[in-house]
C-alpha cells in the first residue's frame, strides 16, 4: 500500500504530480503547493505540530520499545554523536518512525558535543568544543528526576527531539541533561562532552543513561514499555533499575527472569578494550548500593563490573551486528547464545540528491521500501553515470572551497572516511608509495579523499592522520591526496556519494560490521574492502566490488597480513580496478548498478529493524 502524505498547512492529501518538498530541521516535508510551502516557512512553529503523531499522550501509552544509546546521530547540526555507533542509532530510530514501530529513544544531551576537529598543515589535530543551539532542535520537557551519583543527589531534566518518518509517524528521542540549577558545578557538566573526561566521568554518564533513563521514561508517562534495547554496554545499568523496581523491598526472591524477558542487548565491538569495565571500588563509590553488592558481582563479573557481561546476563536476546561478528562475539563470551542481525543504513538519509531523483523516477516508493532498490539493475547505465557525476561535482566543489585544490572529475577517485584509529589502517594504501605511483603512471591517474577524527586520547590514531598528511606532501604533483577536516554526517554524505571507489582496510576481525560501504552502495559506489564485517556478506568479486586479502582472522601474524593485504590491494588496483574504470566504463557502471541492487536493497535499517521486531521484540 502506498504512503498517503498530508500537507501540514492545509491538511490536504499531497498528490504525487503536484508535490512540492522542502527540508526543515533535517526533515523532508511534503506540500500540495508553493502557497502552502511559503506559508509554512512564514510561521513554522504554527504548523510543526501537524508533522507529529496526532495524540501524543495516547502515543506515550502505546510505546512498547525503549531504545537506549550513548550517542544518537540525527544530523550534523546536532552534535550528539561521534561516529558509527551514533549513526547506527539515529538510522535505527528513523526507520522506527518510517515503519511505525512504537518506540522511544533515550540518550544524553552533550551540550559541547564530541569535538570540532582542526588540522594544521602537517595534520596535527586540535580539539575544540562544539557550539550549537538547543532551542533550534529540541523542546524542554517539564519533568525532572534525581539520580544518586557519588553520594550526591543529581537533578536531571530532559529535552525532546521528534524524529518524524516519511508518513508523519513520530518517534521521540529523549535527551537527558544535568545542567540544572541546584546541581554542583561539576554535576552540571556531566552531560557536556561525549566520551570526555576520566573513568569517573564516564561511569557517571552511564549511570545517568541507564538508571536515569528508566526513571525519566517512568516520570514522563511511558508506562507500557515491554522491551528495553541496549545499544552497546553503556546503557547496561538500566537492568539494575529494573531489578530494583521489580524486587521492591523483597530481598529474598530476585525476579531475574522477568527482567531478562524485557531486555535486548546489541554488542558492536570485537575489541576487548571496547567493552567498558569499572573497578568495583569506583562502582560502589559512584553508584551506591542500588542492589546488594554480591548480586551485582554475580551479574556483572567477579573482579570488575563488565558492562557487556551485565547486559548479556539479563537479556533474552543478544546479537552481534554481522554474521562474522556473531562468531567473534561467541568466542569472546563463550556460553552465551549470541545471534546476529547485520547492520544497515537509513536509505533516504544516505542517498544523495541526484540518486534520490533517479530512484524516484524509476523506482517510486523505494524510500519507504528500500528492498525495491533491487530494480536498480534495470536503470539505464547513462542515467546511473549522470547521477554519479552530479554527486562527484558536488564533492569536488566542496573540496575546492575548503582546500583550494581542484580535482579532476575524470580521474579515478578513491574515498576513505571513518574514525581515525590504528586498526582501521587508513594508511595501508600508502605502504609502498612507489607502487602506487607506478599504477597511476601505467594505467591512469588516481586521487584520494580522506576524512576522520581521532579520539582526543588516541595518539596512535592521530599519528595515522599525520602520516596521511606526510604522504600527501610527498606525492604532490603526482597523486592528489586530500584530507578534509571535521568529519561529520554532512561531509560523509558528500564523500560516500562523490568518490568512484570506497576503500576499507581494517585489521580483521576487528570490524564488527562497518556501515560506510553500505552508504556508498546506496549511491552506486562499489567497495574495495577487507573481507570482514558486513563485506563478507555483501561481497561478490567483480560484481558488487572487490575484496582485499583473505578471510583469515588471525592477528598473531599482523605484520604478514599487512604486507599480504597491501600486495593484494596494489595488484587488484593495477590489473582489475583502474583498467576497468578507464577502459571498460560499461562494465564499471554495471558494477555500480549491482552495488545498488544487491547491497543497498538489503543493507538498510528498514530490513534490520524488521528483523529486530520479529527476532527480538515480539518473542
Amino acid at each position: 500500500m502506498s504512503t498517503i502524505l498530508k500537507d501540514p498547512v492545509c491538511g490536504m492529501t499531497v498528490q504525487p504530480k503536484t508535490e512540492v518538498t522542502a527540508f526543515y530541521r533535517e526533515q523532508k516535508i511534503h506540500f500540495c503547493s508553493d502557497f502552502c510551502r511559503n506559508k509554512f516557512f512564514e510561521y513554522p512553529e504554527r504548523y510543526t505540530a501537524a508533522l507529529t503523531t496526532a495524540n501524543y499522550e495516547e502515543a506515550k501509552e502505546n510505546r512498547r520499545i525503549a531504545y537506549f544509546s550513548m550517542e544518537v546521530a540525527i544530523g550534523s547540526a546536532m552534535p550528539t554523536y561521534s561516529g558509527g555507533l551514533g549513526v547506527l542509532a539515529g538510522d535505527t530510530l528513523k526507520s522506527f518512525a518510517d515503519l511505525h514501530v512504537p518506540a522511544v529513544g533515550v540518550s544524553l544531551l552533550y551540550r559541547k558535543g564530541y569535538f570540532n576537529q582542526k588540522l594544521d598543515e602537517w595534520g596535527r589535530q586540535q580539539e575544540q568544543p562544539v557550539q550549537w543551539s538547543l532551542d533550534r532542535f529540541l523542546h524542554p520537557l517539564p519533568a525532572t528526576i534525581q539520580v544518586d551519583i557519588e553520594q550526591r543527589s543529581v537533578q536531571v531534566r530532559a529535552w525532546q527531539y521528534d524524529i518524524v518518518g516519511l508518513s508523519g509517524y513520530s518517534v521521540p528521542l529523549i535527551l537527558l541533561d544535568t545542567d540544572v540549577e541546584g546541581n554542583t558545578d561539576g554535576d552540571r557538566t556531566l552531560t557536556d562532552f561525549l566520551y570526555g573526561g576520566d573513568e569517573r566521568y564516564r561511569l557517571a554518564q552511564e549511570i545517568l543513561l541507564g538508571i536515569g533513563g528508566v526513571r525519566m521514561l517512568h516520570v514522563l508517562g511511558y508506562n507500557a514499555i515491554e522491551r528495553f534495547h541496549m545499544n552497546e554496554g553503556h546503557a547496561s545499568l538500566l537492568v539494575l533499575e529494573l531489578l530494583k523496581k521489580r524486587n521492591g523491598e523483597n530481598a529474598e526472591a530476585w525476579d531475574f527472569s522477568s527482567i531478562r524477558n524485557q531486555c535486548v542487548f546489541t554488542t558492536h565491538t570485537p575489541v576487548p578494550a571496547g567493552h567498558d569495565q569499572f573497578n568495583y571500588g569506583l562502582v560502589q563509590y559512584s553508584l551506591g548500593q542500588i542492589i546488594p553488592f554480591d548480586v551485582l558481582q554475580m551479574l556483572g563479573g567477579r573482579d570488575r563490573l563488565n558492562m557487556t557481561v551485565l547486559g548479556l546476563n539479563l537479556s533474552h536476546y543478544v546479537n552481534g551486528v554481522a554474521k562474522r561478528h556473531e562468531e567473534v562475539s561467541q568466542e569472546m563470551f563463550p556460553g552465551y547464545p549470541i545471534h546476529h542481525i547485520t547492520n544497515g543504513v537509513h536509505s533516504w538519509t544516505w542517498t544523495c540528491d541526484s540518486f534520490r531523483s533517479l530512484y524516484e523516477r524509476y523506482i517510486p516508493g523505494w524510500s519507504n521500501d528500500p528492498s525495491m532498490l533491487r530494480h536498480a539493475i534495470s536503470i539505464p547505465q547513462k542515467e546511473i553515470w549522470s547521477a554519479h557525476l552530479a554527486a562527484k561535482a558536488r564533492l569536488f566543489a566542496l573540496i575546492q572551497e575548503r582546500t583550494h585544490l581542484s580535482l579532476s572529475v575524470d580521474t579515478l577517485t578513491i574515498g576513505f572516511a571513518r574514525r581515525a584509529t590504528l586498526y582501521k589502517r587508513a594508511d595501508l594504501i600508502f605502504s609502498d608509495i612507489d607502487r602506487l605511483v607506478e599504477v597511476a603512471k601505467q594505467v591512469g591517474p588516481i586521487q584520494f579523499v580522506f576524512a576522520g577524527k581521532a579520539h582526543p586520547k588516541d595518539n596512535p590514531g592521530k599519528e595515522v592522520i599525520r602520516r596521511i598528511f606526510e604522504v600527501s606532501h610527498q606525492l604532490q604533483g603526482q597523486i592528489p591526496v586530500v584530507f578534509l577536516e571535521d568529519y561529520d554526517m554532512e561531509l560523509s554524505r558528500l564523500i560516500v556519494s562523490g568518490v568512484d571507489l570506497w576503500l576499507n582496510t581494517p585489521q580483521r576481525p576487528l570490524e564488527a560490521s562497518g556501515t560506510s560501504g553500505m552508504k556508498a552502495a546506496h549511491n552506486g559506489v562499489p567497495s574495495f574492502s577487507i573481507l570482514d564485517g558486513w563485506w563478507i556478506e555483501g561481497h561478490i568479486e567483480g560484481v558488487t566490488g572487490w575484496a582485499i586479502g583473505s578471510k583469515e582472522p588471525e592477528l598473531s601474524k599482523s605484520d604478514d597480513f599487512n604486507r599480504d593485504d597491501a600486495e593484494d590491494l596494489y595488484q587488484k588496483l593495477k590489473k582489475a580496478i583502474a583498467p576497468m574504470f578507464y577502459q571498460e566504463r560499461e562494465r564499471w557502471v554495471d558494477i555500480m548498478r549491482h552495488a545498488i541492487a544487491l547491497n543497498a536493497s538489503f543493507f538498510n535499517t528498514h530490513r534490520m529493524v524488521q528483523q529486530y521486531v520479529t527476532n527480538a521484540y515480539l518473542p
Side-chain angles (χ1 to χ4, degrees):
M1 184 176 67
S2 60
T3 300
I4 297 175
L5 301 171
K6 298 285 188 179
D7 187 311
V9 175
C10 68
M12 295 193 303
T13 299
V14 176
Q15 301 297 331
K17 291 183 179 179
T18 60
E19 179 182 20
V20 178
T21 62
F23 280 87
Y24 179 72
R25 294 183 176 178
E26 301 284 343
Q27 179 187 349
K28 185 181 183 183
I29 306 172
H30 302 259
F31 302 95
C32 71
S33 62
D34 289 325
F35 169 82
C36 287
R37 177 175 61 183
N38 295 337
K39 186 61 66 176
F40 178 90
F41 282 101
E42 285 180 27
Y43 308 103
E45 296 81 7
R46 180 183 301 174
Y47 300 112
T48 49
L51 298 172
T52 62
T53 308
N55 190 332
Y56 205 75
E57 290 305 313
E58 181 183 347
K60 285 184 182 180
E61 292 302 319
N62 290 333
R63 301 290 161 168
R64 296 291 183 265
I65 297 129
Y67 184 88
F68 284 68
S69 183
M70 193 71 163
E71 52 176 298
V72 178
I74 300 300
S76 296
M78 276 182 60
T80 51
Y81 69 99
S82 70
L85 182 72
V87 171
L88 184 278
D91 284 5
T92 300
L93 293 174
K94 290 173 186 177
S95 283
F96 281 162
D98 289 343
L99 296 171
H100 290 224
V101 176
V104 54
V106 181
S107 189
L108 303 185
L109 181 65
Y110 308 120
R111 288 177 175 270
K112 297 181 181 178
Y114 186 43
F115 64 87
N116 281 333
Q117 179 195 51
K118 296 296 181 183
L119 298 171
D120 66 16
E121 62 177 321
W122 297 105
R124 288 173 294 206
Q125 175 178 292
Q126 295 181 352
E127 301 89 27
Q128 300 178 351
V130 180
Q131 302 294 328
W132 66 294
S133 173
L134 276 64
D135 295 336
R136 181 182 167 197
F137 301 99
L138 312 174
H139 60 270
L141 300 176
T144 60
I145 59 164
Q146 295 181 349
V147 178
D148 289 337
I149 300 176
E150 298 179 355
Q151 302 172 22
R152 298 184 307 277
S153 180
V154 178
Q155 305 294 315
V156 185
R157 66 182 298 192
W159 300 73
Q160 182 168 312
Y161 181 89
D162 293 314
I163 301 169
V164 184
L166 295 171
S167 61
Y169 184 80
S170 176
V171 169
L173 171 61
I174 309 300
L175 298 172
L176 306 179
D177 176 22
T178 61
D179 189 10
V180 178
E181 189 174 345
N183 283 340
T184 67
D185 290 344
D187 289 340
R188 294 185 74 157
T189 67
L190 287 177
T191 52
D192 272 3
F193 290 100
L194 173 59
Y195 303 137
D198 55 14
E199 200 173 51
R200 283 179 59 195
Y201 188 86
R202 181 71 168 264
L203 179 56
Q205 287 190 328
E206 298 193 12
I207 293 170
L208 288 169
L209 177 63
I211 295 172
V214 172
R215 291 181 186 176
M216 184 62 74
L217 288 178
H218 176 71
V219 169
L220 290 173
Y222 292 94
N223 296 316
I225 301 296
E226 296 174 353
R227 295 287 183 265
F228 292 83
H229 188 159
M230 294 167 273
N231 189 42
E232 247 324 344
H234 312 116
S236 290
L237 292 176
L238 72 82
V239 302
L240 305 186
E241 179 68 10
L242 295 178
L243 270 174
K244 179 184 176 183
K245 286 175 62 179
R246 170 72 65 171
N247 201 59
E249 300 299 323
N250 185 359
E252 301 301 323
W254 288 93
D255 190 0
F256 299 113
S257 60
S258 66
I259 303 304
R260 188 173 295 113
N261 287 337
Q262 294 181 70
C263 294
V264 174
F265 186 90
T266 298
T267 177
H268 287 266
T269 176
V271 184
H275 298 268
D276 286 351
Q277 298 187 45
F278 298 101
N279 179 278
Y280 273 121
L282 175 62
V283 172
Q284 290 184 294
Y285 173 66
S286 300
L287 186 61
Q289 189 160 312
I290 187 170
I291 64 172
F293 180 64
D294 57 347
V295 178
L296 181 61
Q297 268 190 313
M298 180 268 290
L299 294 171
R302 178 179 176 81
D303 300 319
R304 290 169 64 83
L305 176 59
N306 185 311
M307 301 296 277
T308 299
V309 170
L310 181 62
L312 292 176
N313 278 326
L314 281 177
S315 294
H316 81 277
Y317 185 88
V318 179
N319 71 284
V321 289
K323 190 174 188 304
R324 175 63 183 134
H325 183 228
E326 172 193 328
E327 299 165 0
V328 174
S329 298
Q330 286 176 336
E331 293 171 5
M332 292 179 67
F333 301 101
Y336 290 97
I338 300 176
H339 312 276
H340 81 273
I341 294 177
T342 301
N343 278 345
V345 300
H346 187 252
S347 297
W348 175 261
T349 296
W350 294 104
T351 302
C352 70
D353 290 344
S354 55
F355 272 93
R356 284 179 182 175
S357 298
L358 182 63
Y359 299 155
E360 293 290 347
R361 290 203 306 274
Y362 286 93
I363 318 171
W366 70 277
S367 57
N368 213 37
D369 184 4
S371 68
M372 294 174 66
L373 288 173
R374 63 187 181 276
H375 296 298
I377 202 71
S378 62
I379 298 177
Q381 287 197 352
K382 64 179 182 179
E383 299 261 27
I384 296 282
W385 190 246
S386 176
H388 174 62
L389 289 180
K392 202 170 183 180
R394 284 192 296 272
L395 172 62
F396 286 13
L398 176 88
I399 291 172
Q400 171 71 40
E401 177 186 330
R402 287 198 183 185
T403 69
H404 307 294
L405 181 65
S406 296
L407 298 184
S408 170
V409 74
D410 298 320
T411 295
L412 174 61
T413 305
I414 300 174
F416 188 109
R418 52 186 58 83
R419 180 164 56 94
T421 192
L422 207 57
Y423 83 85
K424 291 184 182 288
R425 299 190 299 182
D427 56 349
L428 183 69
I429 184 71
F430 300 129
S431 299
D432 189 334
I433 295 176
D434 292 337
R435 292 279 297 278
L436 203 57
V437 172
E438 176 188 327
V439 174
K441 287 181 177 178
Q442 293 183 4
V443 185
I446 304 170
Q447 55 199 11
F448 292 91
V449 179
F450 285 87
K453 294 178 177 179
H455 186 278
K457 296 180 181 178
D458 185 0
N459 290 323
K462 293 181 178 181
E463 187 59 39
V464 170
I465 297 176
R466 289 194 290 268
R467 161 74 173 148
I468 293 170
F469 268 75
E470 179 185 328
V471 169
S472 73
H473 294 308
Q474 290 178 306
L475 290 174
Q476 202 161 14
Q478 300 179 84
I479 297 176
V481 178
V482 177
F483 198 109
L484 297 170
E485 70 178 5
D486 210 25
Y487 183 48
D488 60 11
M489 285 182 70
E490 184 178 353
L491 181 56
S492 178
R493 284 192 191 103
L494 288 170
I495 299 176
V496 296
S497 62
V499 298
D500 298 306
L501 183 69
W502 195 252
L503 183 66
N504 191 24
T505 51
Q507 187 177 12
R508 65 182 77 75
L510 302 183
E511 182 89 313
S513 173
T515 57
S516 60
M518 303 173 189
K519 298 163 192 167
H522 275 76
N523 299 282
V525 176
S527 284
F528 184 31
S529 177
I530 294 292
L531 284 166
D532 199 12
W534 84 279
W535 189 233
I536 295 176
E537 300 166 51
H539 161 259
I540 304 175
E541 186 72 10
V543 177
T544 58
W546 298 268
I548 300 171
S550 69
K551 284 199 292 186
E552 293 300 318
E554 299 175 20
L555 296 177
S556 57
K557 304 176 183 177
S558 58
D559 290 340
D560 291 339
F561 273 112
N562 285 341
R563 183 178 61 251
D564 293 345
D565 288 346
E567 176 64 27
D568 195 43
L569 190 159
Y570 292 131
Q571 285 286 344
K572 286 185 177 175
L573 188 60
K574 179 179 180 179
K575 294 185 177 180
I577 296 172
M580 186 186 299
F581 180 83
Y582 284 111
Q583 299 162 25
E584 300 178 85
R585 184 58 51 82
E586 288 188 0
R587 281 190 63 195
W588 183 273
V589 178
D590 198 46
I591 289 176
M592 294 177 68
R593 289 198 299 192
H594 279 86
I596 301 165
L598 297 180
N599 285 349
S601 68
F602 181 80
F603 295 100
N604 56 75
T605 44
H606 275 41
R607 180 270 312 159
M608 184 196 80
V609 163
Q610 288 164 344
Q611 285 186 273
Y612 274 117
V613 169
T614 56
N615 297 347
Y617 299 160
L618 289 180

